[in-house]
Amino acid sequence: MNIEQNKKNAIAFYKMAYEGNPTKAVALYVGEKYIQHNPMVGDGPQAFIDYFDRMQKEFPIKTIEFVRAISERDLVALHTYQEWPDNDNYVTMDFFRFDKNGKIIEHWDSIQQVPKEALNNNTMYK
């Protein structure tokens, strides 16, 4: 298992799906099964594709910045900053589990909206 390649593949997978091509992302990076832990997305590759296709139709203009990528054994963690329409911004932590062939087979995430005001001057992602 190549943990550095898994890190690159997790970023490429997420970026490709986020920017509007989840079908290609699944074809290139997902294994035989895909277990989803986000309660807003169904299990399996097709549910993932359907979710990101809908997001692209509803929100075609959005950006993502990959702030950190950490890999260990069969897991990759991605820390992102996302800008959505109407200054609706989010910080996410996504965790991907890879199979022995370097394909993504499981996903967990935690999403937090960036508040308009904070009690400190630190960002939530840098």
Side-chain angles (χ1 to χ4, degrees):
M1 179 170 295
N2 185 332
I3 62 174
E4 286 305 310
Q5 188 62 50
N6 286 353
K7 192 187 306 185
K8 291 176 185 174
N9 288 350
I11 292 169
F13 169 71
Y14 197 162
K15 182 175 176 56
M16 191 176 292
Y18 187 90
E19 291 179 348
N21 201 344
T23 301
K24 184 176 179 183
V26 165
L28 291 174
Y29 301 107
V30 171
E32 290 185 27
K33 64 177 181 175
Y34 184 77
I35 302 166
Q36 178 63 256
H37 295 276
N38 180 323
M40 305 305 292
V41 184
D43 257 343
Q46 190 58 53
F48 175 87
I49 290 167
D50 293 345
Y51 176 81
F52 275 93
D53 277 344
R54 183 173 56 88
M55 287 297 103
Q56 185 63 20
K57 286 177 186 157
E58 292 178 14
F59 305 101
I61 299 173
K62 57 193 177 301
T63 63
I64 187 167
E65 176 185 351
F66 292 90
V67 180
R68 289 176 187 81
I70 301 166
S71 57
E72 179 181 279
R73 293 187 299 272
D74 64 347
L75 295 173
V76 172
L78 300 179
H79 191 195
T80 75
Y81 173 69
Q82 301 179 14
E83 293 183 352
W84 288 70
D86 300 321
N87 201 28
D88 190 20
N89 302 327
Y90 295 86
V91 172
T92 71
M93 288 294 301
D94 288 85
F95 298 87
F96 299 93
R97 185 166 64 92
F98 285 76
D99 66 15
K100 65 181 186 229
N101 299 314
K103 298 293 186 175
I104 297 168
I105 57 171
E106 195 163 8
H107 171 257
W108 301 260
D109 62 10
S110 180
I111 302 168
Q112 185 175 6
Q113 189 172 29
V114 176
K116 302 297 181 211
E117 296 180 18
L119 298 178
N120 61 59
N121 293 324
N122 307 315
T123 70
M124 294 170 57
Y125 56 95
K126 288 191 178 185

